[in-house]
Amino acid sequence: SGLAALFAGELPKAIDLYDRAVSGLQRSGNAGGVLTAQFQLAIALIYQGETLRARQTCEQAVQAATEQDERWARTYATWAHGILDWHEGALDDAERLARETLTSQREFLDGICVALTIELLAWIAARRADHERSARLFGAARAVWTEIGTTMKSFGPYMNGDSTVSAARAEEALGCERFSALMAEGAGVDLPGAIEFALSGAHASSTVPALKSTERSPLSRREAEVAHLIAQGLSNKAIAQS
């Protein structure tokens, strides 16, 4: 219920529900549930503007996860902390936390966490006016969203708003055509490839991981073309006309 309220943009309601969830999970001894509720609570607190409590919640979750040798929820708590630092303008700290999250995701390959974290790196690049890298990262994030069958819009008006504003900043600086071309450079990756692309600090399409020559794709040439066009965000009508 807290997650539903968060994604609906009902922040006070989400915070109340998460607080109740954390208390109940603590009473029942569900340590994993507590960690999961805490990183989601932190996101609600960030967008509600309760930054001090959000930071405390992130730090508590990371510390508890470390003590329990729990790594999955820790990656999300680390990502949430990066979102907070980005909001506060601490871009170096935000990037460090995002890279730490992606490094951990080499183990889990959790598409949602990977896409959200690559989005964060794209926001950071846009804030630094590194618009070309931002565009490429948005392309890599879109490739992951397409692979897992969702979009940033699914995560509510606040995070999607940050994504939209950051992408618009890069597109305005680069122009629509250049922005789209750079997004396409980042789009030709699978989930593991997206992680490596984002961690590499890549600035050229030649660094995008591709299939080795000894590997055969299960797709026909036309199917591969369609997949690439989908990753670029083309509509069904546009793909049919290509």
Side-chain angles (χ1 to χ4, degrees):
S1 295
L3 188 62
L6 173 61
F7 288 174
E10 301 171 354
L11 298 177
K13 180 180 178 180
I15 291 168
D16 176 64
L17 288 166
Y18 280 129
D19 282 337
R20 290 161 56 189
V22 169
S23 295
L25 290 161
Q26 287 173 333
R27 287 195 302 272
S28 67
N30 187 334
V34 170
L35 293 173
T36 301
Q38 282 181 322
F39 76 71
Q40 295 175 18
L41 169 61
I43 292 296
L45 290 166
I46 290 166
Y47 285 99
Q48 183 63 13
E50 298 186 31
T51 55
L52 178 58
R53 189 177 170 213
R55 187 173 299 279
Q56 292 171 341
T57 302
C58 288
E59 291 173 350
Q60 289 169 1
V62 169
Q63 181 178 350
T66 301
E67 291 172 353
Q68 298 165 28
D69 193 26
E70 197 287 341
R71 298 187 296 281
W72 177 82
R74 176 175 175 167
T75 65
Y76 273 99
T78 302
W79 160 76
H81 202 165
I83 293 284
L84 174 60
D85 284 341
W86 178 79
H87 271 265
E88 296 194 318
L91 301 185
D92 289 346
D93 289 335
E95 181 172 10
R96 174 180 56 80
L97 292 168
R99 293 178 66 84
E100 180 181 330
T101 299
L102 284 181
T103 299
S104 297
Q105 278 297 329
R106 285 169 166 161
E107 175 183 3
F108 297 106
L109 296 179
D110 180 333
I112 290 176
C113 189
V114 169
L116 289 171
T117 307
I118 295 175
E119 284 267 353
L120 173 56
L121 286 171
W123 306 353
I124 293 167
R127 185 77 64 84
R128 286 173 169 160
D130 189 353
H131 299 302
E132 292 195 351
R133 173 153 174 78
S134 180
R136 291 185 176 99
L137 287 167
F138 273 118
R142 178 176 287 180
V144 179
W145 289 131
T146 300
E147 183 173 335
I148 63 178
T150 189
T151 69
M152 194 67 193
K153 293 180 181 179
S154 301
F155 294 83
Y158 294 100
M159 281 190 287
N160 185 56
D162 282 341
S163 178
T164 300
V165 169
S166 297
R169 179 181 289 120
E171 184 173 6
E172 182 178 2
L174 295 167
C176 181
E177 185 175 347
R178 179 62 175 159
F179 179 78
S180 298
L182 290 168
M183 277 193 69
E185 289 185 13
V189 291
D190 59 7
L191 182 53
I195 294 174
E196 301 310 317
F197 178 68
L199 287 173
S200 70
H203 289 279
S205 58
S206 61
T207 63
V208 178
L211 288 173
K212 296 178 181 178
S213 59
T214 56
E215 295 176 339
R216 292 180 57 85
S217 171
L219 302 179
S220 68
R221 177 177 296 180
R222 177 54 182 168
E223 287 171 335
E225 291 174 353
V226 170
H228 184 66
L229 293 171
I230 290 171
Q232 294 180 46
L234 270 68
S235 68
N236 290 340
K237 182 178 180 180
I239 291 172
Q241 295 174 345
S242 67

